[in-house]
Amino acid sequence: MSSASDPLAALGSLPGVAESVDSVRKAVDRVYGHRVMRRRSGEITSEAALRGARGSAALSGADWALEEVRRRTDFGAEEEARTVGAALRLTAEAGQLLSIWRQSPLRVLARLHLVASGSTAEGDVVGRPRLAGEPVDEPFVTAPLPGADEVAGRLDGLSRLIIAGGSAPALITSAVVHGELLALRPFGSYNGLVARAAERIVLINSGLDPKAICPAEVGHAEQGREAYLEAFEGYLSGTAEGMAAWIAHCGRAIELGVRESTAVCEALQRGAA
């Protein structure tokens, strides 16, 4: 597919993007080559899911310690607990939706919002894009909110790109999916969590991280909400520099997720985990 018909692949020529793609690929290959992965990969996957959910929740305002997330069983008592519970449910659900993503990404997004919302939302606002005049609860993203018609059109365009496939590296595709969903905020709630869950799905489904051991959410949280939102402003700008900065930020997030899972591998190897 040519870059003219594959606009995501064209982003690979932006300054620094090829280097980010290469750096991410090398980092992922290193952790997959760790000796612990040969016999205990399931444990690494489970721990990466937990840590990824914690990181995503932190970006949405529920910055809990990892051990608190690990020990809690009740996630319905108050707002932060509901956010953490939603992040945990999304991380678990993402792995169940891989086969559907390439055929019907909008169906997957609807399912993700339904799972995130749990029993907290009422009526028919769950699992569908918002209609004109419906409010959006996404307190940390203050960019102008696109109208419902624009949201519908851009979601359709994103869906077509995903279904068509292409030659763009996983880093680029996942960064664009993440950024576009955060820009659109298509649902009434939990848009940040859904956007990061969709990023996770792309990274797994692309073959870059098939065992889901490189939690980008960890890296996004480690870089901090301020840096995350600043990089997101680059995506919103649509400029070459802004898009390249957002892709690089997402690449760094994956590398930090790799570092986290490498530390887990080392702890298991020492018998400390």
Side-chain angles (χ1 to χ4, degrees):
M1 183 178 287
S2 70
S3 61
S5 58
D6 185 7
L8 298 187
L11 296 175
S13 64
L14 295 179
V17 169
E19 290 80 0
S20 292
V21 168
D22 185 57
S23 183
V24 165
R25 177 77 266 177
K26 288 177 178 176
V28 172
D29 286 347
R30 282 195 299 272
V31 71
Y32 269 84
H34 197 287
R35 61 189 302 178
V36 169
M37 283 295 297
R38 293 197 293 269
R39 49 194 172 83
R40 303 181 72 174
S41 64
E43 294 172 69
I44 308 302
T45 296
S46 296
E47 190 64 20
L50 182 72
R51 294 176 185 228
R54 193 218 73 83
S56 191
L59 286 170
S60 288
D63 192 2
W64 288 14
L66 179 63
E67 291 311 312
E68 178 68 6
V69 177
R70 196 189 303 278
R71 76 168 188 84
R72 283 285 288 267
T73 57
D74 176 17
F75 296 101
E78 41 85 29
E79 184 175 354
E80 285 195 6
R82 289 194 293 271
T83 297
V84 174
L88 287 166
R89 291 192 299 273
L90 282 172
T91 303
E93 186 72 12
Q96 308 302 312
L97 299 172
L98 301 177
S99 63
I100 307 172
W101 176 252
R102 283 285 180 86
Q103 286 74 43
S104 185
L106 297 185
R107 179 181 165 196
V108 169
L109 294 175
R111 174 63 184 171
L112 290 174
H113 186 245
L114 180 66
V115 168
S117 299
S119 60
T120 63
E122 299 178 356
D124 64 348
V125 300
V126 176
R128 64 156 175 80
R130 55 187 167 82
L131 303 177
E134 290 182 339
V136 173
D137 180 16
E138 199 66 45
F140 298 109
V141 181
T142 59
L145 194 65
D149 288 343
E150 181 180 348
V151 168
R154 287 170 64 175
L155 280 178
D156 182 67
L158 183 63
S159 175
R160 289 174 183 273
L161 280 175
I162 294 165
I163 292 170
S167 60
L171 168 59
I172 293 175
T173 304
S174 63
V176 169
V177 167
H178 181 174
E180 188 69 356
L181 292 174
L182 203 59
L184 295 178
R185 282 149 287 162
F187 303 109
S189 58
Y190 297 117
N191 288 288
L193 294 180
V194 168
R196 292 184 288 275
E199 177 185 46
R200 168 179 282 266
I201 287 173
V202 173
L203 292 172
I204 299 169
N205 216 17
S206 67
L208 176 67
D209 181 23
K211 294 186 178 180
I213 62 167
C214 307
E217 306 97 323
V218 167
H220 287 305
E222 185 169 335
Q223 293 178 92
R225 187 186 299 126
E226 183 177 348
Y228 177 72
L229 294 176
E230 182 179 345
F232 174 58
E233 287 294 329
Y235 179 87
L236 289 174
S237 75
T239 65
E241 295 80 3
M243 291 296 294
W246 171 248
I247 293 168
H249 184 89
C250 292
R252 180 59 178 158
I254 297 169
E255 292 186 57
L256 290 170
V258 166
R259 187 177 72 179
E260 187 89 353
S261 286
T262 301
V264 173
C265 287
E266 294 293 333
L268 288 172
Q269 187 167 279
R270 294 192 307 269

